[in-house]
Amino acid sequence: RRRVSRSVAHVAAKGRERCMLIGQMLIACASLQSSVAVVRRTSSRLAMRSTRHSMADGGVQEMVGTLERLTEHCTGASEADTECIEQRQLTHKISSMMAVGKRCKYGFPQALVTDPLGRLKFGLGGHPVDAALFRLTCPHLVKGLDEWEAKGAVKSFNEKLLGDARWTEANTQTNAQHRLLRRALIGTEEKIAELEQNPVHAIIVNSGLAGLTKPGDVKCLHAQVADGLCRGGNVIADDILEGLKERGYEADGCGSCWQQCNLKHEPTPDSWRYAPVKNRQKLRTASNRRRALKEKLAGRAAEKLEWPLPSSSS
């Protein structure tokens, strides 16, 4: 009877713990709108419990404002959105999507919002924090940016960033907002403190756009545009989209790019399609890394085989 009682008490405690965690974690909410409500309900308690949480860059209330601006640009992701992104846009599984950012004129997702702890995949405990909050998925925009970056766009944009006060201020604000948003989506000061015990995780938690830690860097045009499509108010992203328009890439899509995203469209050799360059590079890099590791391990195995066997007298 005592064992049963202890088991029941343990289950009840776990249940209460999970309920509390679900109430605190923004990812457990049904939508980003309800996430804002959770932060509002807990903001006063958090501010009273810890003066540390009232951060120099705005504190809890600014987190609320950041989330509210985010919800103005984002919508919930449907099953059709997930299938479109996984099967036609990124062509791989996604496990941490919280919402979809702006949509093109055909209604397909152009960017997505991700949970920095991946709790949809790893459960309530999550996993070590991820720097990325937004990801650009629109093949049409990715194609335009890949072509532009291949011609040195990041370097030229960084040069402009150093000499343009408007861009410098905008980039500073974007990085500050990403820090706030990442901390808000992590959800609790306890979890933040836990992550910050690891020096690497501490850097990521407090980093800016896509993990940016140094000023004077736009990081990546794809990341800037994804931020603009999901969060809005990104001056650099707006200028990038204007530049894409001048290069023939309208922000809301072209006449035939729907062919790649529409699951009902049966692709033909003449259908519009683009495979992201960065995805191929990432896969190639990972493949080369695995090959080098295998060769290294094989070399060690060969060395061990060459070692002299111990004599019977030893």
Side-chain angles (χ1 to χ4, degrees):
R1 190 182 300 115
R2 284 196 298 271
R3 285 198 298 271
V4 171
S5 298
R6 284 197 298 270
S7 297
V8 171
H10 177 73
V11 171
K14 284 293 184 182
R16 286 194 298 271
E17 181 183 343
R18 282 176 174 268
C19 287
M20 290 175 63
L21 193 55
I22 290 172
Q24 293 170 340
M25 286 195 319
L26 302 176
I27 187 58
C29 299
S31 67
L32 287 172
Q33 289 286 2
S34 57
S35 297
V36 174
V38 169
V39 177
R40 282 199 179 280
R41 288 196 299 271
T42 58
S43 60
S44 298
R45 175 179 60 81
L46 290 173
M48 288 188 293
R49 283 177 56 187
S50 174
T51 55
R52 284 188 304 104
H53 205 67
S54 297
M55 297 170 292
D57 52 6
V60 177
Q61 290 303 322
E62 189 160 349
M63 285 184 181
V64 175
T66 301
L67 285 168
E68 286 179 330
R69 286 189 290 277
L70 182 63
T71 60
E72 292 174 4
H73 294 80
C74 297
T75 56
S78 66
E79 185 177 345
D81 291 331
T82 302
E83 291 176 350
C84 171
I85 293 171
E86 290 185 343
Q87 298 180 30
R88 293 297 184 89
Q89 293 184 338
L90 300 181
T91 64
H92 64 73
K93 291 287 184 180
I94 52 175
S95 58
S96 299
M97 181 167 63
M98 295 177 63
V100 168
K102 186 177 177 295
R103 297 172 183 271
C104 69
K105 60 184 177 182
Y106 301 110
F108 301 115
Q110 290 190 295
L112 56 83
V113 185
T114 63
D115 171 27
L117 296 185
R119 284 164 286 204
L120 292 176
K121 178 179 180 181
F122 296 97
L124 298 181
H127 69 98
V129 65
D130 191 343
L133 297 178
F134 309 126
R135 181 167 182 181
L136 187 66
T137 63
C138 171
H140 167 71
L141 293 178
V142 170
K143 181 175 185 291
L145 292 174
D146 280 352
E147 293 175 356
W148 202 357
E149 284 192 352
K151 296 182 179 181
V154 173
K155 181 179 178 180
S156 63
F157 272 63
N158 281 338
E159 291 172 353
K160 180 176 180 179
L161 181 62
L162 292 175
D164 190 318
R166 171 173 163 269
W167 267 36
T168 300
E169 175 63 21
N171 199 47
T172 299
Q173 289 298 319
T174 292
N175 288 318
Q177 288 295 320
H178 269 252
R179 176 178 180 271
L180 285 170
L181 180 57
R182 186 180 295 106
R183 294 173 74 94
L185 294 178
I186 290 171
T188 66
E189 58 182 324
E190 291 83 1
K191 186 63 178 178
I192 291 172
E194 176 191 329
L195 290 167
E196 288 182 333
Q197 290 178 6
N198 181 303
V200 175
H201 298 162
I203 292 172
I204 296 174
V205 167
N206 296 291
S207 64
L209 173 77
L212 191 63
T213 58
K214 61 179 181 178
D217 189 2
V218 298
K219 179 71 174 183
C220 166
L221 303 195
H222 300 69
Q224 293 283 355
V225 170
D227 177 59
L229 295 176
C230 291
R231 189 178 60 85
N234 184 323
V235 173
I236 296 176
D238 293 341
D239 287 356
I240 292 173
L241 289 173
E242 187 62 32
L244 280 177
K245 183 178 180 180
E246 295 173 359
R247 299 173 68 87
Y249 290 90
E250 293 287 343
D252 60 352
C254 66
S256 55
C257 61
W258 62 269
Q259 295 173 355
Q260 178 165 343
C261 298
N262 192 334
L263 291 168
K264 295 180 180 179
H265 175 74
E266 189 66 32
T268 68
D270 297 326
S271 294
W272 192 98
R273 180 168 183 78
Y274 179 69
V277 170
K278 285 195 172 183
N279 279 4
R280 293 202 300 270
Q281 289 176 340
K282 186 176 180 180
L283 291 172
R284 190 180 302 116
T285 300
S287 177
N288 290 339
R289 189 183 301 117
R290 287 194 297 269
R291 186 181 303 110
L293 180 60
K294 287 180 179 179
E295 291 174 354
K296 185 176 181 180
L297 293 175
R300 288 180 179 177
E303 290 175 3
K304 288 181 180 180
L305 290 174
E306 294 171 2
W307 290 349
L309 293 173
S311 63
S312 57
S313 59
S314 64

